Amino acid sequence: MTVFDILSFGHGLFFVTLHILLMSGLFREWLRDKNALSAKKTGKNGITASLIIPVRNESLRINCLLQSLSAQDYPVEIIFVDDCSDDESPIILAGYAREAAERGLNCRIVTLTENPGPNHKQYALSAGIAEAQGDILIFTDSDCELPAGWIRAMASRMSDETVGAVIGPVFKKKQGKGFLSLYQCYDHAVRYIYLAGSAGLGAAGGGFGNNLIVRKAALDTIGGYDAVPPSPTEDAALISRIRSRSKYHIRAIVLPDAAVETAAENTWSDFIEQTLRWNNGGLFSHEPITRLNYNFLMLMTSAGILALPLVPFLPGLWPMPAGVFTVMVINTIASFILFRQNLPSGGFLNLGYLLSLLFTPLYFTLMTVMSYCRVKTKWKGKAVIQ
């Protein structure tokens, strides 16, 4: 066997072995999450909570969030941060705040008249955190829909005082029958498998900021939210900093009781803009371990895919793409086992899922190439810091 063959087989075997290890981390999180859910059933929490929701021009998508807030059964301080909205969002928020006050709920609106950035969402979140009084800070976005009892479910995961932050699953809403709609749901599920598995191995480096809970004491330990360096993925930067600069652990929810749904992107260009922003945040993270892990994962995936068109000419390369598609099968199985109820129906009988499985490593490779070429991204029309 030549050195060439050794490298090719080594890539495939190592990549598959790495993902088996990742699945062991996912299983560890599942066991921990079951224990946390048992604590929830005993009703042993009583932690004060603040829910922080940034809003920028979301008048057309915020109603689902406001309706789902009414289905919560845990006392919480709700803080909306109106980030310089110039649509009907301020009027809608003011109306909700009045109704909340009539029901005896604690709801406030922080209004920004300017947002200098450099990460505009991060700046808005900082304004909300500064106003929060709770022991724990819960984050979601204005285009999300929350399951009934979501706040209680999130708070229950903080009963262990060594836990500094908990990431929760987020799924795109099933908004159509085309491949774009299905793929966004699948893509979110696979990404979360990576996030939860990494958390189980003690290497958490990311999470969805629209389903996240953070202990205020952990935030204070790292110097407060303003100490988090500007990043295109402010949620991942916060999680990485808590893991690397505090005594607190990062946990992941792998049971469906706290799964949040968010609005899907309507076009491929919007979806690419979103995923490229996430990719840039991981590849160029300020935190060394997160940056190393993400670059390694993306480069291993990209190497396998870029080897694929060379296989007819260099047959010895076949283990590289084979390893990549094998790990996608592993990730897909894990996604369906844990979150089948949150995914579009059909399961493995749905041809779209097979196409998604095959398409994902190709898409990840495209995002990686674009990131290394420093393609710039925007968030709601504003340039995002690279």
Side-chain angles (χ1 to χ4, degrees):
M1 182 177 287
T2 66
V3 173
F4 179 80
D5 291 329
I6 292 173
L7 291 175
S8 179
F9 275 91
H11 174 280
L13 289 173
F14 182 76
F15 204 36
V16 172
T17 301
L18 178 66
H19 278 72
I20 292 174
L21 180 63
L22 194 70
M23 292 304 106
S24 72
L26 185 65
F27 181 67
R28 290 181 66 188
E29 283 305 283
W30 179 77
L31 291 176
R32 289 168 175 154
D33 204 28
K34 283 191 67 177
N35 292 333
L37 194 59
S38 296
K40 169 192 171 184
K41 291 178 179 178
T42 66
K44 294 180 180 178
N45 34 52
I47 307 171
T48 60
S50 297
L51 174 59
I52 301 169
I53 307 170
V55 180
R56 178 176 171 79
N57 294 337
E58 291 288 1
S59 60
L60 299 179
R61 303 197 294 181
I62 199 172
N63 283 333
C64 286
L65 171 73
L66 300 181
Q67 292 172 8
S68 61
L69 284 175
S70 301
Q72 305 307 311
D73 60 357
Y74 192 96
V76 65
E77 171 191 42
I78 303 174
I79 300 175
F80 290 105
V81 182
D82 175 19
D83 182 12
C84 309
S85 296
D86 54 15
D87 66 353
E88 298 298 310
S89 295
I91 297 174
I92 294 173
L93 292 179
Y96 180 82
R98 285 194 300 270
E99 293 176 6
E102 292 172 358
R103 302 201 310 268
L105 301 179
N106 183 0
C107 177
R108 288 184 287 143
I109 302 171
V110 176
T111 301
L112 301 183
T113 57
E114 62 177 359
N115 186 332
N119 179 315
H120 300 91
K121 184 176 180 180
Q122 197 166 346
Y123 184 90
L125 288 171
S126 179
I129 291 171
E131 295 291 324
Q133 301 297 315
D135 300 319
I136 53 176
L137 308 176
I138 311 175
F139 301 92
T140 193
D141 286 344
S142 49
D143 62 349
C144 289
E145 187 170 350
L146 316 173
W150 171 72
I151 294 175
R152 183 173 295 279
M154 294 295 284
S156 71
R157 268 66 178 202
M158 302 298 282
S159 58
D160 181 352
E161 294 187 359
T162 68
V163 175
V166 178
I167 63 175
V170 176
F171 297 93
K172 290 294 183 76
K173 292 181 180 179
K174 313 172 196 66
Q175 294 179 202
K177 296 183 178 180
F179 180 67
L180 174 61
S181 176
L182 184 144
Y183 182 70
Q184 288 184 70
C185 298
Y186 176 87
D187 176 79
H188 253 55
V190 169
R191 287 178 186 276
Y192 192 71
I193 292 298
Y194 278 112
L195 295 172
S198 298
L201 296 177
F208 296 126
N210 45 7
N211 195 3
L212 174 66
I213 185 167
V214 177
R215 192 178 302 277
K216 186 72 175 299
L219 198 58
D220 293 339
T221 299
I222 64 170
Y225 188 70
D226 289 339
V228 178
S231 167
T233 50
E234 68 290 328
D235 39 20
L238 172 61
I239 291 164
S240 296
R241 198 170 184 90
I242 292 175
R243 176 187 52 74
S244 63
R245 303 203 179 192
S246 78
K247 62 181 180 180
Y248 293 95
H249 303 296
I250 308 296
R251 297 274 74 92
I253 297 174
V254 289
L255 295 172
D257 64 310
V260 165
E261 289 193 342
T262 184
E265 302 302 321
N266 294 319
T267 66
W268 276 104
S269 61
D270 289 342
F271 181 59
I272 289 172
E273 186 88 36
Q274 181 185 69
T275 48
L276 181 60
R277 187 172 69 250
W278 293 344
N279 216 51
N280 288 346
L283 291 176
F284 309 119
S285 170
H286 293 277
E287 204 276 309
I289 293 180
T290 299
R291 185 171 64 250
L292 175 64
N293 290 345
Y294 200 86
N295 275 270
F296 182 77
L297 176 64
M298 290 296 103
L299 287 173
M300 289 287 284
T301 301
S302 300
I305 293 304
L306 294 175
L308 186 60
L310 301 177
V311 171
F313 311 100
L314 298 170
L317 288 176
W318 72 265
M320 297 177 67
V324 171
F325 289 114
T326 298
V327 302
M328 287 311 307
V329 171
I330 294 173
N331 293 338
T332 302
I333 292 173
S335 299
F336 275 103
I337 289 175
L338 294 174
F339 301 112
R340 184 171 184 173
Q341 69 187 63
N342 302 104
L343 294 169
S345 61
F348 288 110
L349 298 178
N350 187 332
L351 180 61
Y353 283 115
L354 176 60
L355 295 177
S356 296
L357 185 157
L358 298 174
F359 179 69
T360 293
L362 301 174
Y363 187 67
F364 282 8
T365 299
L366 173 63
M367 293 298 99
T368 301
V369 172
M370 292 177 68
S371 291
Y372 284 140
C373 290
R374 307 299 273 185
V375 176
K376 296 183 178 180
T377 61
K378 293 183 178 181
W379 177 77
K380 295 193 175 183
K382 293 185 176 182
V384 174
I385 184 173
Q386 301 295 308

